[in-house]
Amino acid sequence: MYLALREIRFAKARYSLIAAIMLLISFLVLFVTGLAQGLAYDNAASIQNMPATHFVLEQGSDHRFTRSQISGEKLEQTRSVVGESNAEPLGVQMTSVVLSGDIQKIDVALLAVNPQGWLAPDLTMGTTEKQEKGGVAVDEKLAEHGVRLGSILVDQASGSRWTVTGFVKNESFSHAPAVFLSKEEWMGLHSPSSAPSGSGSAEGQAAYNAVAVKATEGQVSKLQSAVPNTEIIKKADAVSAIPGYKEEQGSLLMMIAFLFVISAFVLAVFFYVITIQKTSQFGILKAIGTRTAYLAGSVTLQVLLLSVFSLAVSIFLVKVLEMALPGTMPFQLGADMLALTCTAFIAMSLAGSLFSVWKVARIEALDAIGRAAA
């Protein structure tokens, strides 16, 4: 500790340069990590927020909601296994809507859920009382497009008109803000001739995209045989199957991985060069009895101190930037992911210092002193 701190104090300019480089790299790592997490959540927030453990989809749908069609009969078969209150129908559809009297199209994700069921998100504003009579709950992001309570949204594909009766927060699917329909509106949207909007429950005639269930592993095994021509998938599998999710996250994770590797190499090169420059000093210290372990520990401690310092400043800067970012930019860096990223960064930094430790261990006192004398 003593030797490490004295050397940092003596060569302020040199270590300040290294600290600045580490600061930039750690800031970039934290920012890209937050961006990756934010994009992942924005892509699948509505599915991740649902308390379901599994989803029942049509066989051959490749785990994708939009490729699946589940009849009311299969919904009843599912309920017979997991219980009436543990299975809820779910409809998912991408579409474009416009505000009544406007021409600007807004891409949204239609999610059909029971407004009184456990799939329905909590409202931040408005009420669910009118949602079964032409009302919808929409994500708060739509407020940026001028949507307000009482606004009328017109579906471009079907011409259906819905009144905004409530707002929800952080609800999106495939990067599109969510619009939550009642089961009656969903049936009217897909079977206008047989089940017009507001015609009441005709659940057996409706075709949904999935059934969300709360099930134990034992119940999941029973579902496989009780509901034929279906596949039972976990929530994580449903999230991963959202179009573009794997590709988007794969690209960002590769960037983060490369940043970690780059940070390790940069530190390795800097400290290796510094160690070579100090070969004679290390040789003299070894000659007077300083242990190799003490010298190696000094180098490692310097790397640790610089890593912790750069991370502390980076976290502060990232938090400041997070508050300044617009609400439309997805960014999320929770405490767990922050701790994991910082731990990984410190580990990679210490790994990069191993070259210097190896060099210190190989220094021969007589050779180093001889070169210094020459």
Side-chain angles (χ1 to χ4, degrees):
M1 175 76 76
Y2 175 79
L3 179 61
L5 294 177
R6 285 297 298 270
E7 189 173 5
I8 291 175
R9 288 177 58 187
F10 177 77
K12 295 184 182 68
R14 176 190 299 170
Y15 287 98
S16 295
L17 177 61
I18 299 175
I21 294 173
M22 292 182 66
L23 171 62
L24 293 174
I25 295 176
S26 60
F27 174 81
L28 189 57
V29 167
L30 290 175
F31 182 77
V32 175
T33 301
L35 185 61
Q37 292 297 304
L39 287 170
Y41 186 70
D42 186 66
N43 203 353
S46 292
I47 304 302
Q48 290 181 346
N49 293 341
M50 290 178 179
T53 59
H54 297 78
F55 292 94
V56 180
L57 276 71
E58 182 182 9
Q59 193 172 34
S61 60
D62 199 23
H63 296 185
R64 294 192 178 183
F65 292 111
T66 53
R67 294 180 180 177
S68 172
Q69 290 292 311
I70 295 293
S71 65
E73 180 184 0
K74 286 184 170 54
L75 170 62
E76 294 305 322
Q77 291 172 344
T78 302
R79 284 175 170 172
S80 67
V81 175
V82 300
E84 185 78 18
S85 60
N86 290 326
E88 289 281 349
L90 172 65
V92 181
Q93 179 179 320
M94 305 302 296
T95 189
S96 296
V97 298
V98 297
L99 274 169
S100 181
D102 199 355
I103 60 173
Q104 181 185 7
K105 294 183 179 181
I106 308 170
D107 292 329
V108 299
L110 300 180
L111 298 179
V113 300
N114 178 8
Q116 311 302 329
W118 48 265
L119 276 185
D122 295 330
L123 297 181
T124 59
M125 186 185 303
T127 177
T128 60
E129 293 178 0
K130 299 180 181 179
Q131 202 166 328
E132 296 183 0
K133 299 179 181 179
V136 293
V138 303
D139 185 74
E140 290 180 346
K141 295 185 185 69
L142 288 181
E144 299 170 4
H145 297 276
V147 177
R148 302 289 184 269
L149 286 177
S151 296
I152 297 177
L153 300 179
V154 182
D155 180 30
Q156 290 288 281
S158 65
S160 299
R161 299 168 67 87
W162 305 303
T163 303
V164 177
T165 59
F167 280 95
V168 293
K169 187 176 182 180
N170 295 330
E171 295 289 342
S172 56
F173 180 86
S174 194
H175 294 303
V179 173
F180 288 89
L181 306 174
S182 66
K183 293 183 292 184
E184 288 75 13
E185 290 300 319
W186 178 260
M187 288 185 285
L189 186 65
H190 291 269
S191 304
S193 59
S194 60
S197 175
S199 64
S201 177
E203 203 167 73
Q205 302 175 9
Y208 302 96
N209 295 102
V211 178
V213 299
K214 296 178 181 178
T216 63
E217 291 301 323
Q219 290 174 327
V220 171
S221 299
K222 293 180 181 178
L223 279 175
Q224 298 284 359
S225 56
V227 189
N229 300 320
T230 60
E231 53 186 23
I232 319 301
I233 64 172
K234 295 180 179 180
K235 185 194 295 188
D237 296 327
V239 169
S240 297
I242 294 176
Y245 184 91
K246 285 184 178 179
E247 295 78 5
E248 180 181 84
Q249 290 301 298
S251 299
L252 290 169
L253 289 176
M254 184 175 292
M255 290 174 58
I256 295 171
F258 271 110
L259 286 172
F260 278 122
V261 173
I262 289 170
S263 65
F265 270 101
V266 168
L267 272 175
V269 170
F270 267 101
F271 276 91
Y272 188 74
V273 171
I274 291 174
T275 302
I276 292 176
Q277 292 175 340
K278 298 186 297 182
T279 299
S280 59
Q281 290 94 322
F282 282 133
I284 293 171
L285 288 171
K286 280 190 173 184
I288 63 177
T290 306
R291 291 179 302 165
T292 299
Y294 179 81
L295 297 176
S298 176
V299 173
T300 304
L301 182 60
Q302 288 176 348
V303 174
L304 182 61
L305 290 174
L306 292 175
S307 299
V308 172
F309 171 77
S310 62
L311 278 173
V313 178
S314 297
I315 292 171
F316 172 76
L317 294 176
V318 166
K319 291 300 181 181
V320 171
L321 182 61
E322 183 178 0
M323 292 186 291
L325 288 174
T328 54
M329 186 172 184
F331 186 89
Q332 192 176 68
L333 192 60
D336 292 341
M337 181 55 63
L338 180 62
L340 179 62
T341 305
C342 291
T343 302
F345 184 82
I346 291 175
M348 290 299 293
S349 299
L350 292 176
S353 69
L354 292 178
F355 286 104
S356 299
V357 172
W358 173 77
K359 180 63 177 177
V360 170
R362 289 178 60 86
I363 292 174
E364 293 292 339
L366 293 179
D367 292 341
I369 294 172
R371 284 195 296 269

